[in-house]
C-alpha cells in the first residue's frame, strides 16, 4: 500500500492523474459553470416567453419606417409590399393604423383603385376617432371619380357632415366641391367652396372651380369677377402658379366670347413662355387676332407655337391656318409654299395609313396587343410616321394604361406565385425556424449552451479518467484509450466547424464572403446587361431618327432585317436579365437559409451527439472502476459524478427547451401555412380571372387602337385634302387677283379713253 501511494505521488509530480489542489479547483470551477449555465438557460426560457410581442412591435415599426421612406421617394410599389406585411401580420401593433392608411394611399398612387378603396374603407370602419379618418373619407370620394361608382359617396359626405366644423381638415370642403364639380352639380360646388377664404391651403383651387362652375352655368360676368379676384393674390406654390395661368386662359376665352378682344389678347399674353399651356394660349390668341383682322399678329403667334412645339397635336391645323393667313395678306407665293410643304409632310403618312387599312385592322391590333401585354409600345403597332400623332389621341393613353396594367398584373401574379412557392419551401424545410428570428436566436443560444456543457463534461471525464486510471485493469485502460481516440477524432471534426457561439449575422457574413466571387460575377453581369440595354436603345433611337429625317431610305427587306435584328437583341437582353435575376435569387436563397438548422448547425448537432455518447460510455466505464477508489480520490470522483449528473440534467432541460421552441415554431407556422395556402388559392383565382381579362383587353384595346388609327387616318386625309384645297385656293386667289387687276386696268383704260374723247370732242367736231 505505501508502495502504491509513493507511485501515485511520483506520477502526480510528473503530471499524472493523482488528484490535488489544482484538480480540485478545476472540478469546483466546472461545477460553478454548470450552475451558471442552468441560470442562463432559465433566463433564456423567460425571455422567449415574453419576447414575441416585443419582437412583433419592433418588426412592425421597422417595416412602417422603411415603407414611409419608400412612400416619400414615390416608390409606391415597394412601400405597399412592406405595408401589406404590417397590415396582414401585425394587426395588433401600434404601427397598424398608419400602415393601413399608407398602404391604401400607396395603392391609390399606383392606380390600384379597387384595392385602395378596400383598405380606406377598413380605416373608415374603425370610426371617427381613428387617425386618418377624414383623409380616408376624402380619398374614398376621389376614388369614386376614378371608378365611376358614386353610390357610396352620399354616405361618405354624411360622415364628414357629422364631424364638428372646427375639427374638419382644410381639404374637406375642397374635396367636396371638386366632387360636385365633376358631377356637374354646380349649386353644390359654390356652397362647398364659397366659404374657403384667402390664405386657405386650397383657396386658389376652390376659386378656380367656382369660376368654372359659373362659366358652365353661363354666368360669365360673375366668372370674370371670380377669376380677377383669384389673380389679385400672389401665387406661392407651383400648383397655385399653374392655377393662375389656367385663370388667365379662362378669362381670355370669356373675353373672346364677349367680344372684348383686346382684353382677351392681354390675358393670353400673360402665359409664361415655359408653361405647357403656352401652345393652347398662342393658338387661341391667334384666333383673337384673326377676329380683329390683324393677320400679321396672328401669324406671329402661330409661328411661335410651331417654333416652340413643332410636334404639338394642333401643328397640322396650324400649318394650314398659316397658309390661309398668307392668302388673306395676298402673299400667294408664301401661301403656296406653306400648303405644298404641309401636303409633302403628311401625304406619305396618309398613304401609309391608307395602305395599312387594307387589312383587318381590329383583328391585327387585337393579336398584337395580346402578344405584347406588359410591353405596350405604339411603335410596334403603327407606321413610324404615325406614332407621334396616334400617341396624342386621348383614347390611346387609356389603351396604354389598360394594356400596361393587365401586363403588370400578369407579371406580378407570376412573381407572387413564385414567392409563395419559395415561402412554402421555407415553411416546410428543415430550416423553417429561421422564419422567426427571435426563436432561431434562442435555438442557437441553446445550442451554444449545449456545446459548453459538452466541453464541461469532457473536462470532467478527463479528470475522472485520470483519477480512475491507476486502479483500472489493462482491459479497462485499453477500452478507455479506444474511447479517447474516438473522442479525439470527433473533437477535431467539431473544431473545423464554425464556433457554436457565432451569431446568425456573423455566419451570414462569413458565408457571403464565400460567395464573393459569385457576387462579383453577378455584379459584372448586371453591369454588362445595363450596357447592353443602353446600347440597344441607343441604336433604336439612332435608327428611328435616320428614318425620320430621311437620311436613309432602306428597302422593305432591309427594314424587316433591321427589325429582326433589334428583336433578337431584345430577346438576348431578356435572357441575360433572367439569368442575372436567377443568380441573384440563388444567392439570396442560400443566405436566407443561414441560421438554426442550417448545414453547419445540423453537422454540429450530429457531432455533439456522437461526442456526448462517447463521454457517456467513458463515464459508464468509469463507474465500475470508481468502486475501487478510496479516500480523497473516491470523494473527488463522487463529486465529479454529481456534477456530471447535474450537467446531464441541464442537457435534458436544453432538449426540453429545444422541443418547446420547435413546438412554438410549428404552432406559429400553422397560421403562416394557412395564409400561404389561402393566398395560393387567391393567386390561382386571380390568374384565372386575368386570363379572361386578357382576351377582353385584346378586344377592347384592339378596337380602340383601330378606331384611333382610323381617326388619325381620316384626320390626315383631311389635312392632305385641305392642303390641296389650299393650293387651289392660292391659284383661285391669284387668278382672282389677276382678274381684278385686269378689270381695274380695263376700267382705267375706258376712263382714259372717255377723258380723251371728251377732251378732243371739240376738235373732232371741227
Amino acid at each position: 500500500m505505501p508502495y502504491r501511494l509513493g507511485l501515485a505521488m511520483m506520477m502526480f509530480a510528473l503530471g499524472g492523474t493523482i488528484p490535488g489542489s489544482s484538480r480540485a479547483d478545476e472540478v469546483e470551477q466546472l461545477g460553478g459553470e454548470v450552475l451558471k449555465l442552468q441560470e442562463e438557460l432559465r433566463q433564456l426560457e423567460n425571455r422567449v416567453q415574453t419576447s414575441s410581442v416585443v419582437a412583433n412591435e419592433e418588426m412592425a415599426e421597422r417595416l412602417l419606417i422603411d415603407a414611409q421612406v419608400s412612400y416619400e421617394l414615390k416608390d409606391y410599389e415597394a412601400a405597399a409590399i412592406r405595408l401589406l406585411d404590417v397590415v396582414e401580420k401585425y394587426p395588433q401593433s401600434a404601427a397598424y393604423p398608419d400602415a393601413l392608411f399608407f398602404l391604401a394611399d400607396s395603392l391609390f398612387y399606383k392606380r390600384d383603385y379597387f384595392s385602395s378603396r378596400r383598405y380606406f374603407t377598413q380605416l373608415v370602419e374603425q370610426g371617427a376617432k381613428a387617425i386618418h379618418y377624414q383623409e380616408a373619407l376624402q380619398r374614398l370620394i376621389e376614388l369614386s371619380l376614378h371608378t365611376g361608382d358614386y353610390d357610396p359617396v352620399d354616405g361618405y359626405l354624411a360622415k364628414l357632415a357629422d364631424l364638428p366644423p372646427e375639427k374638419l381638415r382644410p381639404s374637406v370642403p375642397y374635396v367636396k366641391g371638386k366632387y360636385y364639380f365633376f358631377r356637374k352639380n354646380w349649386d353644390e360646388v359654390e356652397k362647398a367652396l364659397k366659404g374657403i377664404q384667402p390664405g386657405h391651403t386650397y383657396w386658389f383651387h376652390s376659386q378656380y372651380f367656382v369660376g368654372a362652375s359659373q362659366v358652365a352655368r353661363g354666368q360669365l360676368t360673375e366668372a370674370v369677377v371670380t377669376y380677377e379676384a383669384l389673380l389679385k393674390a400672389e401665387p406661392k406654390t407651383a400648383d397655385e402658379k399653374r392655377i393662375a395661368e389656367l385663370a388667365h386662359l379662362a378669362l381670355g376665352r370669356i373675353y373672346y366670347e364677349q367680344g372684348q378682344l383686346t382684353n382677351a389678347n392681354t390675358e393670353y399674353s400673360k402665359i409664361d413662355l415655359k408653361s405647357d399651356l403656352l401652345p393652347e394660349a398662342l393658338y387661341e390668341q391667334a384666333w383673337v387676332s384673326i377676329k380683329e383682322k390683324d393677320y400679321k399678329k396672328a401669324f406671329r403667334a402661330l409661328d411661335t407655337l410651331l417654333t416652340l412645339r413643332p410636334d404639338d397635336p394642333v401643328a397640322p391645323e396650324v400649318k394650314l391656318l398659316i397658309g390661309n393667313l398668307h392668302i388673306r395678306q395676298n402673299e400667294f407665293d408664301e401661301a403656296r409654299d406653306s400648303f405644298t410643304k404641309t401636303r409633302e409632310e403628311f401625304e406619305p403618312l396618309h398613304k401609309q395609313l391608307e395602305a395599312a387599312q387594307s387589312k383587318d385592322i381590329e383583328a391585327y391590333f387585337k393579336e398584337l396587343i395580346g402578344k405584347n401585354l406588359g410591353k405596350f409600345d405604339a411603335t410596334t403597332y403603327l407606321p413610324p410616321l404615325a406614332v407621334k400623332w396616334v400617341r396624342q389621341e386621348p383614347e390611346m393613353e387609356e389603351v396604354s394604361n389598360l394594356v400596361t396594367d393587365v401586363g403588370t398584373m400578369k407579371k406580378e401574379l407570376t412573381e407572387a406565385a413564385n414567392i409563395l412557392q419559395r415561402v412554402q419551401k421555407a415553411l416546410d424545410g428543415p430550416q423553417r425556424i429561421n422564419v422567426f428570428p427571435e426563436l432561431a436566436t434562442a435555438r442557437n443560444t441553446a445550442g451554444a449552451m449545449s456545446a459548453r456543457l459538452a466541453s464541461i463534461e469532457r473536462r470532467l471525464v478527463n479528470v475522472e479518467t485520470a483519477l480512475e486510471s491507476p486502479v483500472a485493469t489493462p482491459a479497462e485502460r485499453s477500452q478507455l484509450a479506444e474511447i479517447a481516440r474516438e473522442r479525439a477524432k470527433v473533437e477535431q471534426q467539431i473544431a473545423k466547424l464554425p464556433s457554436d457561439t457565432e451569431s446568425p449575422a456573423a455566419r451570414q457574413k462569413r458565408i457571403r464572403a464565400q460567395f464573393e466571387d459569385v457576387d462579383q460575377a453577378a455584379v459584372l453581369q448586371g453591369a454588362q446587361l445595363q450596357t447592353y440595354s443602353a446600347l440597344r436603345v441607343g441604336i433604336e433611337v439612332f435608327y428611328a431618327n435616320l428614318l425620320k429625317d430621311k437620311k436613309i431610305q432602306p428597302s422593305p427587306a432591309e427594314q424587316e432585317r433591321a427589325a429582326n435584328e433589334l428583336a433578337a437583341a431584345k430577346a438576348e437582353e431578356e435572357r441575360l436579365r433572367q439569368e442575372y435575376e436567377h443568380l441573384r435569387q440563388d444567392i439570396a436563397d442560400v443566405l436566407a437559409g443561414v441560421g438554426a438548422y442550417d448545414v453547419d448547425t445540423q453537422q454540429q448537432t450530429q457531432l455533439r451527439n456522437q461526442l456526448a455518447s462517447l463521454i457517456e460510455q467513458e463515464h459508464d466505464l468509469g463507474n465500475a472502476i470508481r468502486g475501487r477508489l478510496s479516500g480523497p480520490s473516491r470523494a473527488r470522483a463522487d463529486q465529479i459524478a454529481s456534477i456530471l449528473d447535474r450537467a446531464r440534467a441541464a442537457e435534458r432541460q436544453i432538449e426540453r427547451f429545444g422541443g418547446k421552441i420547435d413546438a412554438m415554431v410549428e404552432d406559429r407556422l400553422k397560421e403562416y401555412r394557412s395564409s400561404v395556402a389561402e393566398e395560393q388559392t387567391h393567386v390561382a383565382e386571380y390568374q384565372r380571372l386575368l386570363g379572361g381579362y386578357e382576351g377582353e383587353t385584346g378586344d377592347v384595346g384592339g378596337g380602340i387602337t383601330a378606331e384611333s388609327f382610323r381617326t388619325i387616318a381620316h384626320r390626315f386625309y383631311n389635312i392632305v385634302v385641305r392642303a390641296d384645297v389650299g393650293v387651289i385656293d392660292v391659284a383661285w386667289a391669284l387668278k382672282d387677283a389677276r382678274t381684278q387687276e385686269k378689270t381695274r386696268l380695263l376700267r382705267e383704260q375706258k376712263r382714259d379713253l372717255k377723258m380723251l374723247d371728251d377732251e378732243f370732242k371739240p376738235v373732232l367736231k371741227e
Side-chain angles (χ1 to χ4, degrees):
M1 188 72 180
Y3 169 77
R4 285 185 178 179
L5 181 59
L7 180 61
M9 292 297 291
M10 185 183 296
M11 290 176 64
F12 179 73
L14 296 175
T17 61
I18 297 301
S21 61
S22 63
R23 290 291 187 185
D25 290 344
E26 183 180 8
V27 171
E28 296 291 341
Q29 178 188 355
L30 294 174
E33 289 185 16
V34 171
L35 291 173
K36 182 180 177 182
L37 271 170
Q38 287 179 313
E39 176 60 22
E40 289 178 7
L41 181 59
R42 185 185 66 79
Q43 293 177 2
L44 178 62
E45 289 178 327
N46 290 337
R47 283 199 304 273
V48 168
Q49 294 298 328
T50 59
S51 66
S52 297
V53 174
V54 176
N56 286 350
E57 284 291 338
E58 290 178 352
M59 178 60 71
E61 187 65 29
R62 185 160 58 247
L63 286 170
L64 175 61
I65 292 171
D66 290 345
Q68 286 175 322
V69 171
S70 298
Y71 179 89
E72 293 299 328
L73 294 173
K74 301 188 187 312
D75 186 356
Y76 299 115
E77 184 168 358
I81 291 172
R82 290 178 173 86
L83 292 164
L84 187 61
D85 249 3
V86 180
V87 169
E88 295 292 333
K89 294 181 181 177
Y90 311 109
Q92 304 304 320
S93 68
Y96 176 80
D98 280 331
L100 185 60
F101 170 76
F102 284 109
L103 171 60
D105 219 35
S106 296
L107 293 170
F108 173 81
Y109 285 117
K110 278 181 85 258
R111 296 189 301 110
D112 187 352
Y113 297 130
F114 291 98
S115 297
S116 175
R117 183 174 65 180
R118 183 171 72 252
Y119 290 113
F120 276 128
T121 302
Q122 289 180 21
L123 201 155
V124 168
E125 288 171 352
Q126 295 177 6
K129 293 183 179 180
I131 60 173
H132 306 298
Y133 177 75
Q134 292 187 50
E135 294 156 277
L137 285 171
Q138 292 176 79
R139 276 286 192 245
L140 286 169
I141 293 171
E142 289 187 68
L143 282 166
S144 70
L145 297 173
H146 290 286
T147 62
D149 182 7
Y150 304 113
D151 292 339
V153 176
D154 287 339
Y156 305 147
L157 293 173
K159 291 180 185 296
L160 288 171
D162 289 340
L163 296 172
E166 65 275 6
K167 291 187 177 181
L168 283 177
R169 294 176 60 86
S171 54
V172 169
Y174 168 66
V175 171
K176 291 170 65 177
K178 181 179 176 182
Y179 168 75
Y180 288 130
F181 179 84
F182 286 108
R183 295 291 288 153
K184 299 182 179 179
N185 192 340
W186 313 123
D187 292 334
E188 292 297 329
V189 172
E190 295 208 38
K191 286 181 184 177
L193 300 178
K194 277 282 190 179
I196 297 179
Q197 300 299 316
H200 189 284
T201 306
Y202 293 98
W203 184 77
F204 270 80
H205 307 69
S206 62
Q207 287 295 102
Y208 181 78
F209 278 118
V210 168
S213 67
Q214 290 168 339
V215 171
R217 286 187 293 181
Q219 300 172 349
L220 300 184
T221 303
E222 291 84 346
V224 169
V225 173
T226 300
Y227 287 130
E228 286 181 344
L230 184 155
L231 292 169
K232 287 178 182 178
E234 183 68 27
K236 297 178 181 178
T237 66
D239 281 347
E240 290 178 353
K241 290 177 182 177
R242 179 172 177 77
I243 291 170
E245 289 188 334
L246 288 169
H248 284 302
L249 273 181
L251 280 174
R253 291 163 184 163
I254 293 172
Y255 287 138
Y256 179 83
E257 290 296 326
Q258 292 178 334
Q260 301 180 42
L261 303 182
T262 302
N263 288 340
N265 263 322
T266 301
E267 295 301 328
Y268 287 126
S269 64
K270 292 178 181 178
I271 305 299
D272 190 271
L273 291 176
K274 295 181 180 179
S275 172
D276 62 332
L277 298 172
L278 182 64
E280 199 170 353
L282 289 171
Y283 189 66
E284 294 180 15
Q285 188 176 24
W287 279 106
V288 172
S289 299
I290 291 171
K291 195 169 184 179
E292 290 180 316
K293 300 189 184 303
D294 188 347
Y295 303 127
K296 289 188 180 297
K297 188 174 182 180
F299 173 81
R300 286 196 299 271
L302 296 173
D303 188 56
T304 303
L305 192 161
L306 288 178
T307 301
L308 296 176
R309 302 285 196 279
D311 293 333
D312 194 85
V314 299
E317 284 75 12
V318 168
K319 293 177 181 180
L320 293 172
L321 184 54
I322 285 175
N324 283 300
L325 288 175
H326 283 307
I327 292 177
R328 294 197 182 196
Q329 297 175 86
N330 295 324
E331 297 170 348
F332 301 118
D333 291 337
E334 290 85 348
R336 185 189 301 110
D337 184 58
S338 178
F339 287 125
T340 302
K341 286 181 178 178
T342 302
R343 183 185 59 194
E344 289 174 350
E345 179 180 356
F346 295 108
E347 190 173 27
L349 173 58
H350 161 60
K351 289 181 178 178
Q352 283 186 355
L353 296 173
E354 190 176 39
Q357 291 191 81
S358 60
K359 50 186 148 184
D360 187 344
I361 291 293
E362 290 192 15
Y364 171 69
F365 285 127
K366 176 182 175 181
E367 181 182 1
L368 281 173
I369 289 175
K371 290 179 179 178
N372 293 277
L373 283 175
K375 298 179 181 178
F376 184 80
D377 185 357
T379 57
T380 307
Y381 314 146
L382 303 168
L385 292 174
V387 170
K388 70 178 180 181
W389 303 109
V390 174
R391 278 176 174 167
Q392 293 164 354
E393 288 292 299
E395 294 82 3
M396 287 302 294
E397 184 177 0
E398 295 178 8
V399 172
S400 177
N401 290 337
L402 174 65
V403 176
T404 302
D405 285 347
V406 172
T408 300
M409 284 190 285
K410 185 176 182 180
K411 180 182 177 183
E412 289 178 348
L413 284 174
T414 301
E415 290 176 352
N418 293 335
I419 290 171
L420 287 170
Q421 187 176 6
R422 291 201 300 271
V423 170
Q424 186 173 34
K425 181 180 177 182
L427 297 180
D428 295 337
Q431 300 162 23
R432 54 187 175 273
I433 191 175
N434 294 308
V435 174
F436 312 104
E438 74 281 5
L439 297 182
T441 300
R443 199 71 166 85
N444 284 333
T445 303
M449 289 180 178
S450 181
R452 286 166 61 190
L453 278 172
S455 175
I456 290 171
E457 291 175 5
R458 177 177 56 80
R459 291 169 64 187
L460 286 169
V461 169
N462 285 341
V463 176
E464 183 183 45
T465 301
L467 285 170
E468 297 166 350
S469 182
V471 297
T473 65
E476 289 170 337
R477 288 195 188 96
S478 177
Q479 284 182 283
L480 288 171
E482 179 63 26
I483 293 172
R485 282 192 295 272
E486 290 296 323
R487 186 154 59 88
K489 290 179 183 178
V490 175
E491 288 172 351
Q492 287 176 358
Q493 293 177 10
I494 291 175
K496 293 178 182 178
L497 291 174
S499 169
D500 293 276
T501 58
E502 184 180 27
S503 68
R507 183 176 292 130
Q508 190 176 40
K509 183 177 180 181
R510 175 177 53 78
I511 293 177
R512 183 176 289 280
Q514 296 174 3
F515 278 88
E516 184 175 354
D517 291 341
V518 182
D519 264 337
Q520 289 178 352
V523 171
L524 178 61
Q525 189 180 54
Q528 290 174 341
L529 177 60
Q530 289 180 347
T531 302
Y532 192 94
S533 178
L535 181 61
R536 176 188 60 78
V537 172
I539 291 172
E540 286 183 338
V541 172
F542 180 71
Y543 179 66
N545 288 337
L546 289 178
L547 288 176
K548 177 182 176 182
D549 298 337
K550 299 182 180 179
K551 293 182 179 179
I552 60 171
Q553 294 182 339
S555 65
E558 290 172 331
Q559 289 193 44
E560 183 178 358
R561 186 166 63 252
N564 290 337
E565 289 179 1
L566 287 172
K570 285 184 179 180
E572 177 65 10
E573 181 185 328
E574 179 64 17
R575 186 190 69 77
L576 288 172
R577 185 188 63 77
Q578 291 181 0
E579 184 178 334
Y580 173 75
E581 289 179 354
H582 289 158
L583 178 60
R584 299 296 297 165
Q585 187 59 55
D586 288 344
I587 294 174
D589 288 344
V590 170
L591 296 177
V594 177
Y597 295 127
D598 62 11
V599 175
D600 287 345
T601 55
Q602 288 180 41
Q603 193 172 0
Q604 284 172 342
T605 301
Q606 181 181 0
L607 291 173
R608 280 203 303 268
N609 291 337
Q610 291 180 22
L611 182 61
S613 176
L614 291 169
I615 289 173
E616 187 171 359
Q617 290 178 37
E618 196 170 358
H619 178 64
D620 290 344
L621 182 59
N623 284 337
I625 302 171
R626 189 169 63 250
R628 302 172 204 157
L629 294 174
S630 62
S633 296
R634 177 61 182 266
R636 182 63 64 199
D638 288 343
Q639 182 186 15
I640 291 172
S642 175
I643 295 173
L644 282 172
D645 287 342
R646 198 158 59 240
R648 284 169 181 163
E651 277 188 354
R652 289 191 293 274
Q653 188 178 356
I654 290 174
E655 288 178 6
R656 288 194 298 272
F657 176 70
K660 190 183 297 183
I661 291 289
D662 292 342
M664 291 174 68
V665 169
E666 291 303 314
D667 186 56
R668 291 193 193 180
L669 285 176
K670 288 178 183 177
E671 182 181 352
Y672 282 72
R673 286 172 177 146
S674 175
S675 297
V676 169
E678 184 179 354
E679 291 304 321
Q680 285 176 327
T681 303
H682 289 161
V683 168
E685 177 63 16
Y686 296 153
Q687 287 176 324
R688 185 188 67 78
L689 291 173
L690 187 62
Y693 291 144
E694 286 182 27
E696 293 180 16
T697 299
D699 291 338
V700 175
I704 293 175
T705 305
E707 188 58 35
S708 297
F709 187 92
R710 294 190 190 99
T711 300
I712 290 295
H714 183 69
R715 178 187 177 193
F716 287 110
Y717 167 77
N718 285 335
I719 288 172
V720 171
V721 169
R722 287 164 62 193
D724 286 335
V725 170
V727 173
I728 296 172
D729 284 343
V730 171
W732 276 105
L734 187 59
K735 176 183 177 299
D736 185 59
R738 288 176 178 173
T739 301
Q740 289 180 11
E741 179 66 16
K742 185 176 180 181
T743 302
R744 183 183 64 79
L745 291 174
L746 287 173
R747 282 200 306 268
E748 290 181 357
Q749 183 183 23
K750 289 179 180 179
R751 188 178 66 249
D752 291 342
L753 288 173
K754 186 175 180 303
M755 288 174 63
L756 287 172
D757 284 342
D758 291 341
E759 186 177 347
F760 289 98
K761 193 172 184 180
V763 176
L764 291 173
K765 284 181 179 181
E766 292 177 359

